[in-house]
Amino acid sequence: MIPTKKLSIGLITATVIAACGSGNSPVPTPQDQQAETVQKSTMKNDLLQEWTGPYGGVPAFDEMKLEDLQPAMETAMASHLQEVLMISANPAPPTFENTVLAMQKSGEELDRVFTYYGIWSSNMSSPEFREIQQRLAPKISEYSSKISQNKELFERVKSVYENSLKNPLSPQKQRAVQLMYEDFAMEGADLNEADKARYAEINKELSRLYTRFSNNVLAEEENYVVYLEEDELSGLPESYVKAAAKAAADRGEEGKYAVLNTRSSMDPFLTYSDERELRKQVWKNYYSRGDNDDEYDNKEIIEEILKLRDERVELLGYDNYAQWRLQNRMAKTPERAMELMEAVWPAALARVEEEVADMQALAKAEGKDIVIAPWDYRYYAEKVRQQKYDLESDEVKQYLQLNKLTEALLYTADRIFNYKFTPVPEGTVPVYHEDVKVWEVTDKDSGKHIGLWYLDPYARKGKRSGAWASQYRSHTEMDEKEETVLASNNSNFIKPAPGEPVLISWDDATTFFHEFGHALHFFASEVKYPILNSGVRDYTEFQSQLLERWLSTDEVINRFLVHHETGEPIPQELVAKIKKASTFNQGFATTEFLASALMDMKLHTTDPEEIDMDTFEKETLDELNMPSQIVMRHRTPHFGHVFSGEGYATGYYGYLWADVLTSDAAEAFREAPGGFYDKTVAEKLVKYLFAPRNAMDPAEAYRLFRGRDATIDALMRDRGFPVPSENQQ
Ligand SMILES: [Zn+2]
């Protein structure tokens, strides 16, 4: 989805949506190639206007008209290209100011339009919008390559970069030049004309294949529905049965119950259904997506993608795709990413053996003569969980009220970031829906205005699923003019009847903290140039993952986790159970994740001529000693992170990389005298790990915070795995 990712060269900064792996990202389908019906209006287009009003100007969300979108996008892209042309054709010798800074200041109008585009795409989509989105997609890609392939512009950036190596600029300028230069170079700006033409051809072909790949997965999700009869519901929770009845009715199968071929339908079914044969069927449908040897099969498409990616990076002089992709990640090389994964893998496998033994014993005690199969894992794990931890998720929910958790977020921001959140007076800041609430964020001591926080908590038609954070304007300080942050958090809680509390699960509460972590990362920015706000794939989830840890601190528990009827804080025994259960089933979770992450890396470090997708996955897993009871979290033929686009290609390991940092940083707090509210550690956290964004090499920033590099010990402890360094003692 275009506006959810930063376009090349750090141009579009206002619409970066943090990718959190939750929720389905809508994929534009290109079949609609109908004639354009753009109104060439000369009237004032609201989407192009400067943001006016309080707080440094705010988006006119109350003036959004869909018919303005396409003309606004086209106008804004055209005028940005005009600005870029002025910069690249400048007869004056290239300098930081007339090239890098000028580029950073350009495209403001387009930034604004993209904010509205992002709202339509994520918060209030419609068939009409998706038509416009499909018409715009090729135009946006053309616009983007006109900049990334601008030879004169690249020569100027290169010249500024090379001069800076001889005569260093200030640190932030230096970093901005370096990132801009690398973005261009990585996208082939330095190639000769023939190679450049081939490069562009490959990209076009790849984008066609990515769309085919994701459309095939979508088709496979829609084409396999398992309909249950009344007597096949044993074990399923009432809420699941209700949703399944509705899903069946929606598909014209009134009176039956539909198990859809999606993760949110499959996962609970495999966890609760007592019907083993049906579990096998549902499991098989889900994990065969894209691998049914029919018109929707993705195996050949994957082979083509891998070959094209390999050819493209060869033009740039790299051995393989992973080497090219990881050069500006924190891991830097595929070898270092592999090293981390291989360090964790054996412990995960050993834990799987224990988990399977527990489940096998339980099945036997129930008189079932079975060997645990992949479609049994979730089912028996749940039984073991209930037996070992006696933890009822419904009991926990009674203490997790959405409004109290919102207060808990603001409390954490106050204690760690010294931020004060004040609701803005109703009607002073425009919103696109009445459910969206807005707070002003200020520094608690100085009262300095930092930004606005928009919260859009409830599910509704046209809103994408899952939870995410985005920003409408990022912090910058160009020409001494300071731009303040406009950030938002978005969730899909069910809106309650008036006066009723919204009770949510522990997982959802964790996600709520996670997304708020992204927002705090936006607010904390102290960078001068937009490009320094860009994310580093294996680093940018770390800050938000770390923030999750404050949910289970005593301060938050005692103040905000109170029973919705009695107001009593959550009992200590229940908290102890939650904490104890956190290492449960980590063998399964780590193994299914790592198998996908390892496969991602092996696919992109092996010569694609040697990859036959009929055998590669199986052979690779055999070599890894993959347990027979577990399947990859995302099997290759439907691994959308890696093959619906390039966002996570050779980047799936990034979740684990960020987890290592998270566990290690959390230990820094745990070891401190003030624990998670220790003033000194909190100050260091904000100063080194949040405020610099990408203005500093992440590895260096982490060393400044911790006094050393992160090690995997804390992660192993958090997952209940043996710690390698302790074993050697
Ligand atoms: Zn995230």
Side-chain angles (χ1 to χ4, degrees):
M1 194 169 58
I2 300 286
T4 65
K5 64 173 187 227
K6 193 168 68 68
L7 298 181
S8 56
I9 331 296
L11 294 166
I12 305 303
T13 55
T15 50
V16 182
I17 290 188
C20 294
S22 54
N24 308 316
S25 55
V27 180
T29 45
Q31 57 264 46
D32 184 326
Q33 297 289 349
Q34 72 181 65
E36 295 172 25
T37 52
V38 186
Q39 291 171 306
K40 291 277 184 244
S41 168
T42 51
M43 284 169 57
K44 169 172 163 280
N45 187 319
D46 288 324
L47 305 182
L48 291 169
Q49 303 310 309
E50 291 261 3
W51 293 348
T52 56
Y55 311 109
V58 291
F61 287 135
D62 52 347
E63 305 275 349
M64 292 169 68
K65 288 189 293 293
L66 195 55
E67 65 264 29
D68 285 343
L69 180 60
Q70 185 163 351
M73 284 289 290
E74 289 176 350
T75 305
M77 286 193 286
S79 54
H80 187 217
L81 288 176
Q82 202 54 46
E83 284 179 88
V84 173
L85 211 60
M86 299 287 287
I87 297 168
S88 65
N90 189 345
T95 62
F96 179 86
E97 280 69 27
N98 73 18
T99 304
V100 177
L101 183 61
M103 279 299 289
Q104 290 287 281
K105 285 195 206 163
S106 69
E108 268 189 25
E109 196 180 42
L110 186 58
D111 271 356
R112 292 197 295 270
V113 182
F114 255 119
T115 291
Y116 298 116
Y117 186 107
I119 295 291
W120 270 305
S121 145
S122 300
N123 299 69
M124 35 195 286
S125 185
S126 62
E128 295 76 25
F129 166 74
R130 284 193 286 273
E131 263 179 45
I132 296 169
Q133 190 179 34
Q134 276 170 31
R135 287 203 297 272
L136 282 173
K139 292 171 197 252
I140 295 171
S141 126
E142 201 182 323
Y143 147 83
S144 166
S145 46
K146 271 189 182 154
I147 298 174
S148 62
Q149 305 281 310
N150 182 327
K151 185 89 179 165
E152 292 74 31
L153 181 58
F154 174 66
E155 289 303 335
R156 292 183 74 85
V157 173
K158 190 177 175 185
S159 156
V160 178
Y161 174 67
E162 283 170 352
N163 284 334
S164 78
L165 297 178
K166 286 173 247 157
N167 304 301
L169 303 161
S170 69
Q172 289 221 15
K173 283 185 179 175
Q174 190 70 32
R175 181 82 175 165
V177 180
Q178 183 202 335
L179 293 179
M180 193 177 280
Y181 170 77
E182 285 171 358
D183 273 356
F184 269 112
M186 276 183 77
E187 294 304 328
D190 212 4
L191 295 173
N192 66 43
E193 287 311 310
D195 285 353
K196 222 183 210 179
R198 179 62 193 146
Y199 190 96
E201 226 172 69
I202 292 174
N203 271 354
K204 223 165 122 191
E205 181 60 15
L206 277 173
S207 75
R208 198 180 62 82
L209 291 168
Y210 297 153
T211 309
R212 273 182 60 200
F213 182 95
S214 35
N215 285 345
N216 283 344
V217 177
L218 275 182
E220 297 272 82
E221 294 188 347
E222 282 159 10
N223 294 346
Y224 292 80
V225 179
V226 175
Y227 290 102
L228 310 175
E229 302 291 341
E230 191 81 45
D231 60 358
E232 294 173 324
L233 303 174
S234 172
L236 297 173
E238 199 188 315
S239 57
Y240 189 90
V241 172
K242 268 191 196 160
K246 182 170 185 306
D250 288 348
R251 284 161 183 76
E253 298 280 343
E254 205 80 45
K256 291 187 182 171
Y257 304 85
V259 183
L260 306 181
N261 204 20
T262 59
R263 187 176 293 278
S264 55
S265 197
M266 170 278 293
D267 197 284
F269 186 82
L270 293 191
T271 306
Y272 297 110
S273 171
D274 296 327
E275 303 282 344
R276 191 169 192 234
E277 275 309 303
L278 285 170
R279 289 205 306 266
K280 183 176 175 182
Q281 184 62 49
V282 167
W283 178 90
K284 217 165 165 268
N285 288 348
Y286 187 77
Y287 288 102
S288 303
R289 289 170 303 145
D291 191 21
N292 288 310
D293 296 318
D294 58 11
E295 59 180 311
Y296 302 114
D297 194 281
N298 271 330
K299 294 195 288 293
E300 266 179 42
I301 293 177
I302 291 168
E303 288 176 11
E304 280 181 65
I305 289 174
L306 292 172
K307 282 184 189 138
L308 287 168
R309 283 178 179 170
D310 190 64
E311 186 190 343
R312 199 183 67 194
V313 301
E314 210 179 299
L315 291 173
L316 301 170
Y318 295 89
D319 293 342
N320 57 54
Y321 182 85
Q323 196 185 61
W324 169 78
R325 180 82 277 173
L326 267 66
Q327 60 186 304
N328 60 0
R329 302 288 198 243
M330 194 172 171
K332 296 272 191 293
T333 65
E335 291 74 23
R336 288 192 65 203
M338 286 297 282
E339 213 176 279
L340 166 64
M341 292 191 273
E342 284 168 354
V344 180
W345 182 249
L349 295 192
R351 175 55 55 81
V352 168
E353 268 186 44
E354 295 168 17
E355 289 172 8
V356 171
D358 279 350
M359 296 190 288
Q360 200 66 64
L362 196 141
K364 200 176 167 209
E366 284 186 344
K368 299 251 173 63
D369 182 24
I370 58 160
V371 176
I372 299 293
W375 43 91
D376 299 320
Y377 212 111
R378 290 173 177 82
Y379 179 75
Y380 283 101
E382 177 60 20
K383 285 181 181 271
V384 174
R385 189 176 74 94
Q386 285 174 7
Q387 200 183 56
K388 270 198 172 169
Y389 303 100
D390 184 30
L391 185 61
E392 282 286 336
S393 59
D394 224 45
E395 193 187 347
V396 180
K397 266 189 176 182
Q398 308 303 312
Y399 298 91
L400 298 172
Q401 306 170 64
L402 181 60
N403 61 348
K404 284 282 170 196
L405 286 161
T406 308
E407 287 175 33
L409 298 182
L410 308 188
Y411 172 82
T412 305
D414 171 320
R415 293 287 306 269
I416 305 302
F417 289 77
N418 208 37
Y419 290 166
K420 185 177 170 205
F421 283 67
T422 315
V424 303
E426 197 85 26
T428 53
V429 172
V431 290
Y432 51 84
H433 190 279
E434 58 178 10
D435 288 344
V436 180
K437 298 291 170 231
V438 188
W439 282 258
E440 186 193 4
V441 187
T442 51
D443 183 90
K444 210 171 65 183
D445 298 327
S446 68
K448 184 175 180 265
H449 173 74
I450 292 166
L452 293 180
W453 183 55
Y454 294 68
L455 178 65
D456 181 1
Y458 302 124
R460 69 178 160 268
K461 196 160 179 274
K463 188 170 172 182
R464 65 177 260 227
S465 61
W468 68 96
S470 66
Q471 59 181 338
Y472 311 138
R473 185 170 63 213
S474 60
H475 173 93
T476 55
E477 289 170 34
M478 293 189 283
D479 294 342
E480 310 310 315
K481 184 182 176 256
E482 186 172 345
E483 294 280 6
T484 56
V485 178
L486 302 174
S488 80
N489 277 146
N490 307 269
S491 321
N492 273 285
F493 300 114
I494 306 302
K495 193 176 176 179
E500 291 290 311
V502 184
L503 301 180
I504 69 178
S505 69
W506 184 263
D507 275 357
D508 283 346
T510 304
T511 304
F512 199 46
F513 269 71
H514 175 102
E515 298 304 336
F516 188 61
H518 284 302
L520 289 172
H521 200 187
F522 298 147
F523 287 126
S525 169
E526 280 182 2
V527 310
K528 284 188 164 32
Y529 311 107
I531 198 170
L532 301 179
N533 276 312
S534 56
V536 179
R537 176 70 73 211
D538 53 5
Y539 184 61
T540 197
E541 289 299 323
F542 150 60
Q543 287 81 358
S544 47
Q545 286 179 5
L546 183 62
L547 208 94
E548 296 171 15
R549 303 293 176 112
W550 272 268
L551 171 62
S552 49
T553 58
D554 290 344
E555 282 84 345
V556 164
I557 287 171
N558 295 329
R559 280 162 204 263
F560 305 104
L561 272 50
V562 296
H563 195 279
H564 68 103
E565 280 163 348
T566 66
E568 290 290 314
I570 188 167
Q572 282 302 323
E573 314 88 74
L574 198 50
V575 177
K577 277 187 205 171
I578 295 168
K579 288 185 177 172
K580 196 166 159 233
S582 72
T583 58
F584 175 68
N585 218 32
Q586 277 298 331
F588 175 84
T590 306
T591 301
E592 69 155 8
F593 164 81
L594 268 181
S596 286
L598 284 160
M599 189 67 66
D600 173 28
M601 207 54 83
K602 300 223 179 219
L603 284 163
H604 292 94
T605 47
T606 306
D607 180 354
E609 297 300 330
E610 288 165 16
I611 293 182
D612 174 354
M613 281 311 298
D614 285 324
T615 53
F616 186 82
E617 188 186 272
K618 191 182 174 310
E619 285 171 7
T620 305
L621 293 173
D622 284 349
E623 270 169 41
L624 288 168
N625 293 318
M626 180 75 173
S628 64
Q629 302 86 353
I630 296 183
V631 67
M632 297 162 67
R633 183 170 173 83
H634 308 276
R635 281 199 55 228
T636 320
H638 47 250
F639 202 170
H641 288 77
V642 177
F643 295 113
S644 308
E646 301 202 19
Y648 275 90
T650 69
Y652 197 63
Y653 78 93
Y655 291 103
L656 182 70
W657 192 272
D659 263 349
V660 170
L661 300 173
T662 304
S663 293
D664 193 66
E667 281 205 346
F669 279 101
R670 227 174 272 134
E671 292 159 0
F676 275 86
Y677 296 88
D678 190 89
K679 276 265 171 281
T680 315
V681 185
E683 269 168 25
K684 275 195 192 170
L685 177 84
V686 178
K687 184 172 175 192
Y688 297 121
L689 300 182
F690 277 73
R693 301 278 320 175
N694 197 8
M696 198 188 278
D697 182 306
E700 189 190 325
Y702 194 83
R703 273 190 292 266
L704 287 168
F705 167 73
R706 195 71 165 107
R708 58 164 174 77
D709 288 323
T711 71
I712 68 165
D713 294 9
L715 173 103
M716 300 300 264
R717 274 191 282 276
D718 280 347
R719 296 193 179 196
F721 295 162
V723 179
S725 65
E726 287 171 5
N727 284 352
Q728 287 154 15
Q729 283 164 9

